[in-house]
Amino acid sequence: AQSVAQPEDQVNVAEGNPLTVKCTYSVSGNPYLFWYVQYPNRGLQFLLKYITGDNLVKGSYGFEAEFNKSQTSFHLKKPSALVSDSALYFCAVRDPNSNYQLIWGAGTKLIIKP
Amino acid sequence: EAGVAQSPRYKIIEKRQSVAFWCNPISGHATLYWYQQILGQGPKLLIQFQNNGVVDDSQLPKDRFSAERLKGVDSTLKIQPAKLEDSAVYLCASSLVAGHEQFFGPGTRLTVL
């Protein structure tokens, strides 16, 4: 069965430090992977995607994600965290067997402390 | 480019009442989704439209929820009658092509008392 796992409910990082939010997936075929961010009382915002090509994908707000096929991971990263990055982050993978719907992770709350 | 529009932003109703949500997707986006999101959880797909046809409504509680997308543009989601457990944020999203990135509206926060 297709699935997405975000193993950490919450990640705490000091401002200015690098951050990583983890995501692993299980899907048949080549994965289409996505990261979204949700600020309080807001809808989800698309950050970046991996479809094919370079394993390091760059997205909005200075975020990037590294696709690792052997580890079936798609971790979200940023070299220097900002307090304004504090939000809920969701990883998703396209399900090729279900009308290309997205399978969503449970979300990781990122807290950046000044 | 205008984003996905949703209204209302907030709604408070009594249980057993009815409520309707409206969504206008990004122009040209053929695929439209309605999600239900419980606080702190990932979104749960309720229904997926391709143009004005339903692609998947397997997780829509059809005894109380209905949705339509007339003319393949804007869409409405209705709940009748509402239950306490329907309290959630209802998100509308659209994508140019199914399986590619989805763009979300701000959501409607529903509280059922």
Side-chain angles (χ1 to χ4, degrees):
Chain A
Q2 331 295 341
S3 65
V4 173
Q6 292 181 245
E8 302 152 318
D9 291 336
Q10 183 170 309
V11 172
N12 298 298
V13 178
E15 186 176 28
N17 283 1
L19 69 87
T20 299
V21 183
K22 296 179 180 178
C23 173
T24 59
Y25 66 90
S26 174
V27 68
S28 56
N30 295 320
Y32 279 36
L33 295 153
F34 304 85
W35 274 102
Y36 287 81
V37 60
Q38 187 172 34
Y39 298 101
N41 299 314
R42 303 279 293 276
L44 283 85
Q45 295 180 35
F46 169 72
L47 275 179
L48 50 80
K49 66 180 179 183
Y50 172 85
I51 295 178
T52 187
D54 194 346
N55 289 342
L56 187 64
V57 179
K58 295 189 183 298
S60 305
Y61 312 122
F63 283 93
E64 56 190 25
E66 186 170 13
F67 171 67
N68 187 315
K69 187 173 183 178
S70 62
Q71 296 187 5
T72 62
S73 66
F74 189 55
H75 299 333
L76 182 70
K77 300 181 179 183
K78 188 173 182 180
S80 179
L82 300 172
V83 172
S84 57
D85 292 331
S86 298
L88 192 55
Y89 290 80
F90 290 97
C91 180
V93 65
R94 188 183 79 166
D95 184 352
N97 300 322
S98 184
N99 301 304
Y100 298 123
Q101 294 164 9
L102 296 186
I103 301 169
W104 296 86
T108 298
K109 186 175 183 180
L110 178 64
I111 298 176
I112 309 300
K113 298 182 178 179
Chain B
E1 174 181 89
V4 177
Q6 285 188 251
S7 67
R9 290 295 312 276
Y10 304 92
K11 190 74 176 179
I12 300 174
I13 61 173
E14 301 276 336
K15 61 183 180 182
R16 291 187 289 273
Q17 286 187 325
S18 62
V19 64
F21 313 127
W22 173 82
C23 172
N24 190 37
I26 293 173
S27 178
H29 281 197
T31 311
L32 185 147
Y33 310 82
W34 281 102
Y35 289 91
Q36 181 191 62
Q37 187 180 28
I38 304 296
L39 187 64
Q41 298 181 14
K44 171 190 169 185
L45 180 68
L46 293 175
I47 188 166
Q48 176 184 351
F49 290 94
Q50 180 71 22
N51 296 310
N52 61 347
V54 175
V55 173
D56 187 346
D57 62 358
S58 58
Q59 297 197 77
L60 188 73
K62 297 181 191 62
D63 58 333
R64 299 183 301 106
F65 286 64
S66 64
E68 61 182 9
R69 191 184 183 196
L70 299 177
K71 302 180 182 178
V73 181
D74 54 353
S75 175
T76 57
L77 175 70
K78 297 179 181 178
I79 307 175
Q80 181 179 10
K83 292 185 175 181
L84 296 176
E85 59 260 36
D86 298 332
S87 293
V89 176
Y90 291 84
L91 296 166
C92 178
S94 68
S95 64
L96 189 61
V97 177
H100 286 246
E101 59 269 35
Q102 299 177 17
F103 296 91
F104 285 78
T108 298
R109 181 176 298 277
L110 174 67
T111 302
V112 182
L113 302 175

